Amino acid sequence: MRHITVNAEHEYKVHIDEHFEGVLHDVSQSHSKVFILTTQYLADTYHIEKFLHPIDNAVIHIVSDGEHQKDISVLEGIWQAMAQAGLTRSDALVAIGGGATTDLGGFAAATWLRGISWYAIPTTLAAMVDASVGGKTGINSHAGKNLIGSFHSPSGVFVDLRFLKTLSDRDFAAGLAEVIKVGFIQDEEILNILQSRNTVDSAREVAEELIFRSISVKADVVSQDFHESKLREILNYGHTFGHALEKYSHYEMRHGEAVAVGLVFAAELSGKMIGLKDEIIDLHRSLLKQFGLPISTNVPFGPLLELMRSDKKSRGAMLRFIGLNSLENPHWLEDVSADLLQATYERIQA
Ligand code: GLY
């Protein structure tokens, strides 16, 4: 068992290889009431109610799977259930699920009574390495992905590696896109490890090490710049284009799949603007492709440009991206013209 400390608005730990049963038992005993947010599948498969003591002090609230749960109507339902349960400031929420559930649960905790404690038990690779750590919580809206949200760190994150056993190859690979991102921006060793693992099955064998390394980078960056005034933006490598593609697909694409294409886009843009070497650009394609992740798209460019303009990373009318100078050396690409984006897009068209 290993843990990593995050210093945000308060200090908390990410515990790796911690069994969820004990966590639920301890959390339910240390608050007079706990509000569990999870999906029907997880509640049924893992018999969550069995580990809440006493069960009378717990409420299990079921949400649907996937990105569509990050919706104001679902949040409204959570607020109503919290009111019905009489959840007070000293009570806590536990989000058990993928990244959408931890983003939504964290935001429900941030907004209820102006902020109650919450704990994350991520069940997908993407949630373990990215969504559950960092304290950004939120929902989607017509305006864009994650535009409504709050910085509200969990009191603890508990990674139970057993959840990965039932994760599909598609979902595991989607999580690997975030791991690969971390490799390019900050930890080349991740890329070395993955190069010798050319199938999803073989990457699963080193999941714990990949998770530890990815969370370590994230924790370090978030601890230095919790509110994303500058440094933390490097974690958005591949995300401006990725978010646009994900939203265009009406969230049919997994976040990690859209980010995979976004990483290739950001690498190509870096090649054009700051001379990122072709061999590094090619390494993006080969690593992502090796796990069956998409590296190109045929979505029309116009709508993607509009969606990129509404992304959080743009400032005013200027489009800005995180690029790469070389391995482990991210660079801020400012004031990128639409013409250059179009030319870059042509290089990633299917
Ligand atoms: N919830 C993801 C992050 O804080 O970066």
Side-chain angles (χ1 to χ4, degrees), residues 35 46 53 123 141 150 154 160 169 187 191 219-220 256 261 274 288 294:
F35 190 91
Y46 294 97
H53 291 286
T123 60
S141 65
S150 165
D160 187 334
D169 282 356
D187 184 1
L191 306 180
D220 181 47
V261 184
I274 49 176
L288 296 162

Side-chain angles (χ1 to χ4, degrees), residues 103 130-137 218 232:
D103 279 3
D130 190 45
S132 68
V133 181
K136 281 192 199 170
T137 69
K218 182 145 189 186
R232 185 174 174 159

Side-chain angles (χ1 to χ4, degrees), residues 69 95-107 118 120-122 127 131-132 137:
Q69 69 188 271
I96 309 173
T101 304
T102 56
D103 279 3
L104 171 69
F107 191 51
W118 73 287
I121 302 184
S132 68
T137 69

